[in-house]
Amino acid sequence: IPDADRPSAGGGKEIGRMSSSVQFYLAIFIFLMTYAGIMSEKIHRTICALAGGGAMIYFGLVTQEQAITEFIDFNTLGLLTGMIILISVVKQSGFFQVLALWALKKSKGSPRELLILLSIVTAVGAALIDSVTAALLIAPMTISLCRMLRMSPVPILISEILMCNIGGTALMIGNPPNVMIGSATHLDFNDFLINLAPVVVITVIVILIAVLLIFKNDFSGVRMSAKELEKIDIMSGVEDKSIFSRSLMVLALTVLGFVVHSHFGLESATVAMTGGMAALLFCGINPEDALKEVDLDTLMFFMGLFILVGGMENAGVITAIAEKGIEMVDGDSHLITFLILLLSGVASAFVDNIPFTATMIPLIQEMQSLMNLPHADYMWWALATGACFGGNGTMIGASPNVIMVAIAAKEGFNISFTAFMKWCFPLMLLSLFVAGCYLETRYFIFGM
């Protein structure tokens, strides 16, 4: 805890006339009040984040100039905006409808095979597009397909929820925590692909086996006839084949852009915005319709969080926590990595993983600086897997969970908080165990 003469962290000098000890406790108070508001869900999370960020500015913990030039990460905001525009065009193409109907035909009407195929489609979609969009698109189609099979969609929906959060971990653009980590560090699209895609593939296989065992009694006696399967036209969801082909081409080129962007000195936001604008141009979509899809609520939420955490940095709170954490584990980077994984996983099951990740990023950066470990990237992979996998623990752990459960309830299939946690919390812990084994094997045993 800083004394009255200690300069504040972040800028190396005290902001305003307030003593550093007062700044320290005031920053903690504002941060905790903001988090309490977000967790209570009685006040909208965006209002809480903006109020918390505003309080940091009004009390002099962050200057207006710092908020704009240092703490608000416009690369993250640009990446999210560009991808939302691009995906709004892909959504109109009917691409996901084609994939869902293909999965039904490929499964030959078997619910087990359908669960596996739809889960894989969801995981890939969450990685390439984003987990929230994948949830919005796949859930209604799953319910429709299950009605055709005359079975409850709940087992498949549960598997898809798990796959949204796990699959989105594979790439930098799949889940908000990854977007934030990639933007705040030296890590690029290829780093996420090389380091996280393998553990995602392993985890998907393990969790799918577990899901099939949990719901094995729900599939008996359910199968679609060959005549019913013949009537299904895979391309029936495509209204305009020109938009379908062009939007997929733009999406493929955008993903390629993410792969090579670092070689040309371009930020990921530049690639995403280029992809979004190219989709509007080549697919002939009205920009007003596409821009309506841009989630200003989420963007403003991010802005408030960036300023809030900036105030914690300036007041020296992040440094103090980092020093205490290193002291508790006696400077063992191995132990810190697994604490990050476990803490991120369990916390993200109950707290939105976006503000949690926003808080953890500067904390890990400070730990790496204090321990002189500037390239300990395994800590970032621990945070990414923990924050993304942990979202599966409860119904409120991540946005795809809330979205899919709400869609199911609207269609008459209620999933209670208790039932969700009974199925998913143990599976979340299993996924963290898989991630822990992967981290231990790859980075500490083989030093890869």
Side-chain angles (χ1 to χ4, degrees):
I1 298 172
D3 55 40
D5 298 321
R6 180 177 175 177
S8 62
K13 59 183 178 179
E14 191 177 308
I15 300 173
R17 298 176 180 274
M18 200 183 301
S19 71
S20 58
S21 58
V22 174
Q23 288 181 9
F24 185 89
Y25 290 111
L26 181 59
I28 292 174
F29 176 76
I30 294 170
F31 180 83
L32 292 177
M33 290 298 292
T34 304
Y35 248 83
I38 293 171
M39 291 177 66
S40 73
E41 298 185 344
K42 292 182 178 178
I43 304 173
H44 197 283
R45 66 176 192 167
T46 301
I47 295 174
C48 292
L50 289 174
M56 291 291 188
I57 293 174
Y58 278 109
F59 283 103
L61 297 167
V62 175
T63 66
Q64 294 178 68
E65 183 182 358
Q66 278 183 316
I68 295 171
T69 61
E70 292 182 35
F71 295 129
I72 296 178
D73 188 344
F74 288 100
N75 185 57
T76 295
L77 301 181
L79 174 58
L80 289 170
T81 303
M83 289 306 295
I84 290 170
I85 295 170
L86 173 56
I87 297 316
S88 71
V89 177
V90 175
K91 190 167 28 172
Q92 293 183 48
S93 74
F95 176 58
F96 262 81
Q97 289 91 326
V98 170
L99 283 179
L101 291 173
W102 169 84
L104 180 59
K105 278 222 165 189
K106 200 74 176 172
S107 71
K108 298 176 183 177
S110 165
R112 287 184 182 84
E113 290 181 29
L114 182 63
L115 182 146
I116 293 169
L117 289 170
L118 284 179
S119 296
I120 293 171
V121 165
T122 304
V124 173
L128 288 176
I129 302 176
D130 72 77
S131 56
V132 172
T133 303
L136 282 168
L137 294 175
I138 205 74
M141 286 179 285
T142 298
I143 293 169
S144 177
L145 294 177
C146 287
R147 281 190 171 133
M148 294 168 69
L149 280 167
R150 293 176 288 278
M151 65 171 284
S152 169
V154 170
I156 298 181
L157 288 173
I158 290 295
S159 183
E160 288 170 349
I161 288 170
L162 295 165
M163 293 304 119
C164 274
N165 295 311
I166 295 170
T169 314
L171 299 178
M172 190 179 75
I173 57 177
N175 271 333
N178 287 14
V179 174
M180 298 166 75
I181 292 168
S183 186
T185 65
H186 64 279
L187 303 169
D188 62 17
F189 185 90
N190 293 338
D191 291 318
F192 280 83
L193 174 64
I194 293 166
N195 290 277
L196 292 183
V199 70
V200 166
V201 171
I202 296 167
T203 308
V204 164
I205 294 169
V206 171
I207 297 302
L208 273 178
I209 293 170
V211 168
L212 288 170
L213 289 173
I214 290 171
F215 293 106
K216 62 182 178 181
N217 296 327
D218 292 67
F219 302 130
S220 56
V222 179
R223 199 173 191 95
M224 183 177 280
S225 69
K227 279 189 177 181
E228 289 174 309
L229 283 169
E230 281 180 22
K231 293 177 183 177
I232 296 171
D233 179 11
I234 291 176
M235 298 300 290
S236 60
V238 179
E239 294 181 7
D240 190 323
K241 289 185 178 180
S242 174
I243 292 178
F244 179 81
S245 58
R246 291 179 184 181
S247 65
L248 291 186
M249 186 180 297
V250 172
L251 178 60
L253 289 172
T254 303
V255 172
L256 178 62
F258 283 123
V259 173
V260 302
H261 74 96
S262 59
H263 298 291
F264 295 95
L266 297 173
E267 292 287 352
S268 53
T270 304
V271 176
M273 292 297 288
T274 303
M277 295 305 105
L280 293 177
L281 178 63
F282 293 112
C283 298
I285 302 296
N286 186 341
E288 290 185 7
D289 295 334
L291 290 172
K292 285 177 185 175
E293 299 283 333
V294 176
D295 191 354
L296 290 175
D297 167 45
T298 298
L299 298 181
M300 298 300 284
F301 178 58
F302 272 99
M303 290 175 69
L305 286 177
F306 289 141
I307 300 171
L308 181 72
V309 175
M312 293 275 283
E313 285 188 68
N314 274 354
V317 178
I318 299 294
T319 301
I321 295 173
E323 289 173 346
K324 191 67 178 175
I326 294 169
E327 182 186 324
M328 285 174 62
V329 298
D330 197 25
D332 187 341
S333 61
H334 193 168
L335 185 55
I336 284 177
T337 301
F338 288 97
L339 282 176
I340 291 169
L341 175 67
L342 184 61
L343 176 63
S344 302
V346 175
S348 294
F350 300 96
V351 180
D352 193 314
N353 58 15
I354 295 174
F356 179 82
T357 304
T359 308
M360 287 296 291
I361 287 171
L363 179 58
I364 293 174
Q365 287 173 328
E366 190 65 31
M367 283 182 171
Q368 291 178 338
S369 175
L370 291 170
M371 297 171 69
N372 195 26
L373 294 170
H375 301 296
D377 293 339
Y378 46 81
M379 292 186 186
W380 297 118
W381 310 136
L383 175 61
T385 51
C388 296
F389 290 6
N392 281 325
T394 68
M395 191 186 292
I396 59 171
S399 299
N401 312 16
V402 178
I403 290 167
M404 283 202 172
V405 168
I407 291 172
K410 199 174 179 181
E411 296 292 331
F413 302 97
N414 291 310
I415 303 171
S416 69
F417 187 96
T418 306
F420 187 100
M421 193 168 179
K422 179 184 74 174
W423 294 321
C424 296
F425 198 85
L427 294 176
M428 180 272 288
L429 293 177
L430 176 60
S431 69
L432 291 181
F433 175 76
V434 173
C437 292
Y438 173 81
L439 290 169
E440 176 68 23
T441 303
R442 178 164 181 174
Y443 303 107
F444 293 104
I445 295 178
F446 292 106
M448 298 168 65

